[in-house]
């Protein structure tokens, strides 16, 4: 099996060439109780900054998704210390001014685009930050939806901006003020308040395993028939 040399916290290891960074580190004995979560590229907990010998540029990535490379130096970014102001939604308009008041550091952005280059989710981070100036909230909400809060953009930003928090606030403002209300949800909440589902719920709560499995299969069949 082909092996490559990686360096983690100053210590070199020979690891299988086709392993992910996470598999390689666990394979040489590290046990992570923090800084790892889903192992599927979804939770953003395993962000790292890599530096390949002979290369100038930093290689950021997710340890559970990135394959090791010969001469790769790995620095974990388990969490990035940022203070998030309260995301006030009431009495605030979904506008650039609201976001700027909560995150005045937005004005410090120097347009270097580092945040975009390091994003493992291919989110056009800088472009979306500049979209706040144009009140283009739907675009920001849509394009930043895949953000996994890994913190790499904040870790590399020379202006100490945490774009992921700004996107979160924009999505919340968009949901609260700009997205049309869902009539289906309102109708369902009305039904819940009126006790329409009490009988069904009581039956499910007292059902045994077999009955629950049968109900679930029926539900699946009904769904696939739709
Ligand atoms: S926007 Fe930032 S926090 Fe979100 S996935 Fe990209 S790098 Fe990670
Ligand atoms: S890394 Fe920071 S300063 Fe550079 S474009 Fe992104 S937010 Fe702006
Ligand atoms: S462990 Fe969740 S993204 Fe890697």
């Amino acid at each position: 099996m082909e092996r490559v040399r990686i360096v983690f916290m100053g210590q070199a290891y020979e690891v299988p060439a086709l392993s992910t960074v996470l598999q390689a580190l666990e394979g040489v004995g590290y046990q992570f109780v923090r800084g790892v979560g889903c192992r599927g590229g979804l939770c953003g907990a395993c962000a790292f900054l890599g530096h390949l010998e002979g290369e100038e540029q930093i290689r950021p990535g997710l340890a559970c998704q990135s394959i090791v490379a010969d001469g790769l130096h790995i620095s974990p970014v388990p969490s990035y210390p940022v203070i998030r102001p309260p995301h006030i939604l009431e009495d605030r308009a979904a506008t650039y001014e609201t976001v700027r008041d909560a995150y005045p550091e937005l004005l410090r952005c120097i347009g270097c685009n580092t945040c975009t280059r390091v994003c493992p989710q291919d989110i056009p981070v800088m472009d979306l930050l500049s979209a706040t100036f144009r009140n283009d909230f739907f675009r920001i909400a849509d394009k930043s939806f895949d953000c996994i809060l890994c913190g790499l953009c904040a870790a590399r930003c020379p202006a100490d901006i945490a774009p992921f928090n700004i996107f979160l606030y924009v999505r919340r403002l968009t949901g609260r003020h700009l997205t049309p209300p869902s009539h289906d949800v309102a109708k369902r909440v009305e039904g819940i308040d009126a006790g329409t589902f009490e009988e069904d719920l009581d039956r499910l709560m007292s059902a045994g395993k077999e009955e629950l499995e049968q109900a679930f299969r029926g539900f699946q069949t009904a769904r696939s028939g739709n």
Side-chain angles (χ1 to χ4, degrees):
M1 184 193 299
E2 192 191 342
R3 299 181 81 79
V4 294
R5 180 177 148 275
I6 61 169
V7 180
F8 184 62
M9 297 202 286
Q11 176 73 46
Y13 301 95
E14 298 285 324
V15 298
L18 289 179
S19 51
T20 63
V21 168
L22 180 58
Q23 287 166 338
L25 293 176
E26 289 182 329
V28 295
Y30 286 95
Q31 288 184 327
F32 297 99
V33 288
R34 300 298 305 269
V36 171
C38 66
R39 294 169 182 268
L42 295 172
C43 73
C46 65
F48 76 96
L49 293 171
H51 180 232
L52 197 65
E53 289 166 12
E55 253 185 29
E56 282 185 7
Q57 279 203 333
I58 295 283
R59 289 188 180 204
L62 299 172
C64 70
Q65 300 297 298
S66 309
I67 301 295
V68 290
D70 197 41
L72 182 67
H73 291 237
I74 299 154
S75 306
V77 186
S79 74
Y80 194 76
V82 289
I83 294 169
R84 182 171 73 71
H87 283 174
I88 301 169
L89 299 177
E90 303 306 325
D91 308 321
R92 296 286 194 285
T95 60
Y96 155 69
E97 286 77 14
T98 300
V99 179
R100 181 209 53 201
D101 289 350
Y103 294 96
E105 65 269 32
L106 189 55
L107 299 174
R108 290 202 302 259
C109 176
I110 56 170
C112 65
N113 210 24
T114 304
C115 47
T116 306
R117 283 202 303 270
V118 297
C119 179
Q121 294 295 89
D122 291 333
I123 293 167
V125 183
M126 186 189 79
D127 180 41
L128 295 187
L129 285 178
S130 66
T132 56
F133 294 84
R134 303 188 298 275
N135 287 319
D136 201 351
F137 278 31
F138 278 119
R139 179 156 184 275
I140 300 166
D142 179 38
K143 297 279 179 197
S144 73
F145 194 75
D146 286 341
C147 171
I148 53 174
L149 304 173
C150 70
L152 278 168
C153 50
R156 298 296 293 159
C157 175
D160 290 331
I161 296 169
F164 51 89
N165 278 338
I166 296 174
F167 297 155
L168 196 57
Y169 194 24
V170 168
R171 289 203 298 277
R172 286 174 172 164
L173 286 166
T174 305
R176 177 69 185 83
H177 296 292
L178 302 176
T179 309
S182 162
H183 298 298
D184 288 343
V185 172
K187 211 167 124 193
R188 181 51 54 98
V189 171
E190 255 175 47
I192 291 168
D193 286 344
T196 312
F197 308 104
E198 290 299 321
E199 203 179 308
D200 286 341
L201 273 175
D202 286 345
R203 192 166 49 76
L204 283 174
M205 292 297 282
S206 59
K209 186 167 176 272
E210 215 168 284
E211 198 183 339
L212 281 176
E213 282 175 354
Q214 206 176 357
F216 182 65
R217 276 196 293 274
F219 170 71
Q220 279 186 316
T221 311
R223 273 191 76 188
S224 59
N226 284 339

